[in-house]
Amino acid sequence: MWTSYLILIGIISGFIGLYMLTMHLNKKIAVPESCKAAYLEAQSCESCASRGGGCGFNDAIEFMKEVKPE
């Protein structure tokens, strides 16, 4: 019985460790120049899809589609 708890704790710890590693590595990657405008727009939007006002999630997606190089 204790073995199954240890396995469960190991699996959960592994997922948490993987998440933390991913977040750490993600912070080291710079935002590509082609996405910088969309990134800055998304960072300044405080009410997207939360109160029904502001820039809205769909508007942000459309903006990113326009910025994307073809």
Side-chain angles (χ1 to χ4, degrees):
M1 177 147 176
W2 288 104
T3 307
S4 60
Y5 286 130
L6 290 176
I7 291 172
L8 181 62
I9 290 172
I11 291 172
I12 291 172
S13 298
F15 280 127
I16 292 171
L18 183 62
Y19 174 77
M20 291 173 63
L21 177 65
T22 303
M23 294 302 291
H24 175 71
L25 293 175
N26 194 27
K27 286 183 182 179
K28 289 185 171 187
I29 304 294
V31 176
E33 288 297 321
S34 61
C35 300
K36 198 160 280 233
Y39 174 77
L40 293 174
E41 176 77 22
Q43 295 301 313
S44 65
C45 181
E46 297 174 357
S47 61
C48 285
S50 63
R51 284 171 254 176
C55 62
F57 184 73
N58 290 332
D59 293 340
I61 295 292
E62 289 301 318
F63 181 73
M64 284 191 243
K65 286 180 184 175
E66 292 174 8
V67 173
K68 181 181 173 185
E70 296 187 27

